[in-house]
Amino acid sequence: MDLVQESSTFLSIAKDAKVLLDMLLVKVNSVVNIARAMNMHSELIKLELFVVTERVATLSHEVAEMLKLACYDAERVIDKYEIWSLKNQLLPSSTSSKVRGLIFSGRLNHFAYRNRMCLEIRKLIKKLDKIGDFEEKIELVELDSFPIWVTAQGRCASSRTRVSVHYSGVVGRVIDRDTVIEALLKSGNEATLFVYPIVGVGGIGKTTLAKFVYNDPKIVSHFQLLLWIHVSRVFKVEEVLEQIVNSVREDLLCEKLDMNELKNLVHQTLYGKNYLIVLDDVWNEDPVKWDELKKLLMVGACGSKILVTTRKKEVALIMGTVPAYCLKGLLNEDSITLFLSKAFEQGQEVDHPNLVWIARMIVRKCQGNPLFLMIVASSLRKKTERREWSIVNNHSGWNSNQNGEISSALRVSYEQLTSNLKVCLAYCSIFPKGCVIEIDKLIQLWVAEGLISKSNESEDLEHVAIQHFRELLSRSFFQDVEEYRSVYTSICTMHDLVHDLALSAAGVEFCTVNSHIQNISDEVRHVAFSDYDLSGKELPTSLVSNQALRTISFSIDGLGPTSTMFVENCIARFMQLRVLDISDSCFDELPSSVGELKYLRYLDVSSNGSIKELPDSINKLLSLQTLRVSHCPQLEGLPKDIGNLISLRHLYITTKQACFPDKAIGCLSSLCSLYIHSCNNLVSLSEGLQHLTNLRTLAIIGCPRLTFFPSAMKHLTTLENLLIVDCKELTLLEWQDIEGLRMLRSLVIGGLPELESKDVHCLRSLQMLVLAGLPELVTLPRWLEGASATLQYLRVERCLNFAALPKWLENLTALEKLEISKCRKSFSLPEGMSCLTNLKFFTSSSHLLVSQS
């Protein structure tokens, strides 16, 4: 047996010298390129010497502190150089003297700037020399062999910016499933709403079991209505009612409803129906709140049932009308089956009997917990060396009692991550526990915070970030990925126990500020406000002196700041901000001082019902990569010179404009994704779209007056993802507008009343198609057969006249997942379904007729 020594101490990324060293090497390499570009020969030699010198080392706490300070200095050099480069890039193209004066406070004196940069780099070199002279030398690897910051799945970056749906089978829960189904199907006290709780520890598989039950044919055929509700950690009756309404309504976009409207719609939805509602992950111990919800649900037919999943026995006692089902861990053989299915490709374990032997020892340490089994096994996937498996099996973290809130299995799996993945995982602690995470937003935040690095100049940072996400997903640190949830966005979740791990990994640099926190460490770099008194104008006293803050987020509770003065104070105090998320606010004016945040890369002011305009100073944000101003119904328009945002890659907008000026959006040459959302007055798009030669995603959602696409659409040759939803007047000219988009990989069409199954050609790269809310659609469009070699995912939903799957469906040989939901008419499956050998998942909520052949 190979014995491998590992530290049992769990370190946050701010104190883990190995992670900090890997981060520093990447940053110093960038500074090397800066020194080379500015002909700083003596500095260049010293920097390169630091990178290539090998030192044997123990990475102590003192070293970690020095590495962290050096990282900050290197980052400062990189930021200043990028700002200077952007100003030089914009200056020749800016024709407006007013704009030039707004952005540049003085002439760009190259000689003076070079001298200032020399001083900054020499300051960094002094810190690097101090690290090199420290008694415990650090082992540095040569840059050419540096393996840490490359894409997790090899060198080739994917051209697809959407994430594949992740499937996993259910192992060892047949008896549990049958027991729960039996309880749900048998008759009980018809005068009382039947509530059946499933109780178990975190990660034991309560939600998985509930899904297993929910999708069982006996359940599907028995109940008239099946509803799945994820209950947030803070129990809100209104949110549960919203989910019920949104689950059954036939239109695609859901406007905000008041409580009385919700109650009426829930009554209409449930009245007289035999329903099953799953309330997943309930934490509420307040019987008053549960009684309020229960009264509203007691309108169904006799025999309606509620299935509850919870960790807490107290919740089961409050909600349950029968004793709870206590879910235990998997049996040993089932645990081994699950572990091997995650650690090996199907059948490959027979080629590695020595690894299976080690697997059995690891499985015993996971104690039958499916989450732990999957995460540990996933960390070993594609590893075939006995030593690699022994590292995990013999890791001293299995026996450590330190940091008891984090399970041994999660700690051991975390230690197998590369440094870049550890940093990305730790950043997820900025999201609240149990929340749904928008994948695009996560990717944009990782990039904005500088957590993503590329191994060569040709790589795209977002493609690298998606590779990181996929790797963490494959290791089960993320779960429940749903592509284009609610039609137009892709989401995932993070298990509560994994979120606890992320919090521990984040350490002191991340902080959630609420009314109970008195002292905030001056080491904090990322702040999320939650349950904080926003009626005042002042910041927490212990935070105001922290000039190094990088992140301010108000997105946790869906309640942003109400005072413009509060936002002004944030801007004035924290000039180093990279991320400012002040969504769900109600202030009516964004301070013009926002233009002074020269390092800002991510700005979110979405879901503000009061703001009417953005200040012209926003055009000074040359580093801005993401601007979100969607769901701002009073916004008159975008600033005139928004084209100066030369780094802008992602734009989400809602405005009152009838059309977009050609010299506005069309000038954003770096734009990769454009989301036009709920623009009620918009009648036409700009011909300037043809200049967006880097655009990969275009989403047009909830624009009821938009009647046609500009001819410029055919010039979007790099477009990969197109979403057109709830544009009731748009005819698409019988689909011909999208005919020339040959690179299209994902297409979402929804809420177009007149759209029929017309032919269109050349969509031969299509991998995913969603058709939703199309009342005239009766079968699949014939043109889909042209994507037979590429189409992997097909979903049809809320198409009320959809009545047939065509015989040629058998030609879609690449199809892996087929979903048909909320289509009222009955239809039969074509005989050739057996030819779809790649089909892994088929589901239909419509009534299927059995073929007589």
Side-chain angles (χ1 to χ4, degrees), residues 701-756:
I701 302 164
C703 299
R705 297 186 182 180
L706 185 66
T707 56
F708 64 92
F709 280 157
S711 59
M713 281 286 290
K714 62 178 175 287
H715 297 294
L716 301 179
T717 55
T718 60
L719 197 67
E720 296 178 357
N721 311 296
L722 177 62
L723 298 86
I724 307 169
V725 178
D726 270 7
C727 300
K728 301 187 187 313
E729 298 297 321
L730 189 64
T731 62
L732 283 185
L733 295 178
E734 311 291 7
W735 296 85
Q736 294 171 17
D737 285 311
I738 62 175
E739 193 168 21
L741 305 178
R742 298 171 184 266
M743 295 298 293
L744 211 59
R745 285 168 168 75
S746 300
L747 176 61
V748 178
I749 303 289
L752 307 186
E754 304 300 322
L755 196 62
E756 300 180 18

Side-chain angles (χ1 to χ4, degrees), residues 39-47 114 118 122 125:
N39 296 317
M40 301 178 184
H41 298 295
S42 60
E43 289 79 10
L44 180 62
I45 292 171
K46 294 176 183 178
L47 291 167
R114 184 183 181 280
C118 268
R122 285 169 187 167
I125 289 172

Side-chain angles (χ1 to χ4, degrees), residues 164-412:
S164 299
V165 177
H166 186 68
Y167 303 102
S168 60
V170 180
V171 175
R173 293 301 189 194
V174 173
I175 294 175
D176 300 300
R177 177 200 62 188
D178 292 346
T179 303
V180 174
I181 288 175
E182 182 183 357
L184 293 175
L185 296 185
K186 71 180 181 181
S187 297
N189 182 354
E190 304 296 355
T192 305
L193 184 62
F194 183 92
V195 183
Y196 191 30
I198 300 174
V199 178
V201 298
I204 206 68
K206 301 180 294 295
T207 299
T208 300
L209 174 59
K211 288 180 179 178
F212 205 14
V213 169
Y214 185 83
N215 291 309
D216 188 271
K218 292 192 289 292
I219 293 293
V220 172
S221 62
H222 180 81
F223 292 99
Q224 290 176 273
L225 184 63
L226 294 167
L227 298 173
W228 184 283
I229 308 297
H230 178 79
V231 182
S232 63
R233 208 172 181 88
V234 178
F235 189 88
K236 295 180 180 178
V237 173
E238 185 175 1
E239 287 184 0
V240 175
L241 299 182
E242 280 181 355
Q243 287 193 60
I244 291 174
V245 170
N246 292 341
S247 294
V248 298
R249 59 191 297 163
E250 292 172 358
D251 52 331
L252 301 177
L253 294 179
C254 309
E255 301 299 327
K256 193 73 174 176
L257 302 171
D258 64 33
M259 192 62 172
N260 287 330
E261 290 174 315
L262 284 172
K263 288 179 180 180
N264 290 333
L265 286 171
V266 167
H267 187 275
Q268 294 172 26
T269 299
L270 302 181
Y271 183 74
K273 291 187 176 70
N274 180 26
Y275 66 76
L276 170 67
I277 296 178
V278 178
L279 298 177
D280 182 39
D281 196 23
V282 180
W283 290 79
N284 171 58
E285 296 182 47
D286 184 349
V288 175
K289 289 183 178 179
W290 165 236
D291 285 342
E292 181 186 356
L293 176 62
K294 185 170 65 172
K295 288 175 184 176
L296 297 172
L297 301 181
M298 293 178 66
V299 295
C302 292
S304 294
K305 305 289 197 305
I306 294 179
L307 184 63
V308 175
T309 69
T310 181
R311 285 195 214 174
K312 310 191 78 170
K313 293 180 180 178
E314 296 83 359
V315 172
L317 289 171
I318 291 170
M319 298 181 69
T321 58
V322 292
Y325 185 76
C326 296
L327 189 60
K328 306 297 183 183
L330 294 175
L331 298 175
N332 187 59
E333 285 306 309
D334 290 329
S335 295
I336 292 169
T337 299
L338 178 59
F339 189 93
L340 295 180
S341 72
K342 291 294 181 181
F344 293 101
E345 297 290 344
Q346 186 174 2
Q348 287 188 351
E349 66 272 13
V350 298
D351 299 326
H352 303 282
N354 58 329
L355 301 184
V356 174
W357 181 72
I358 298 174
R360 289 183 176 275
M361 292 188 286
I362 297 173
V363 162
R364 284 197 291 270
K365 297 170 182 176
C366 293
Q367 301 177 333
N369 188 297
L371 177 67
F372 300 162
L373 288 162
M374 289 192 297
I375 288 180
V376 177
S378 298
S379 72
L380 293 168
R381 196 171 182 87
K382 298 183 180 178
K383 294 182 180 179
T384 57
E385 295 294 327
R386 177 189 176 92
R387 182 180 180 278
E388 295 173 310
W389 284 60
S390 294
I391 287 174
V392 173
N393 184 42
N394 298 317
H395 198 294
S396 55
W398 291 112
N399 305 315
S400 173
N401 292 321
Q402 296 187 25
N403 203 352
E405 294 182 0
I406 306 301
S407 80
S408 298
L410 292 182
R411 293 178 58 201
V412 171

Side-chain angles (χ1 to χ4, degrees), residues 41 74 118 128 158 162 181 188 271 300 329 339 393 418 448 455 469 491 508 549 582 610 673 694 730 778 791 829 839:
H41 298 295
C118 268
L128 300 181
S158 168
R162 293 283 166 184
I181 288 175
Y271 183 74
F339 189 93
N393 184 42
T418 52
S455 56
F469 177 85
I491 60 168
V508 72
L549 207 63
I582 45 178
S610 302
S673 63
N694 291 306
L730 189 64
V778 296
L791 191 72
L829 296 177
L839 191 65

Side-chain angles (χ1 to χ4, degrees), residues 85 347 424 561 644:
S85 298
C424 289
N644 290 328

Side-chain angles (χ1 to χ4, degrees), residues 444-456:
Q444 291 159 14
L445 288 170
W446 279 350
V447 174
E449 298 283 10
L451 308 183
I452 306 299
S453 296
K454 49 190 178 181
S455 56
N456 60 69

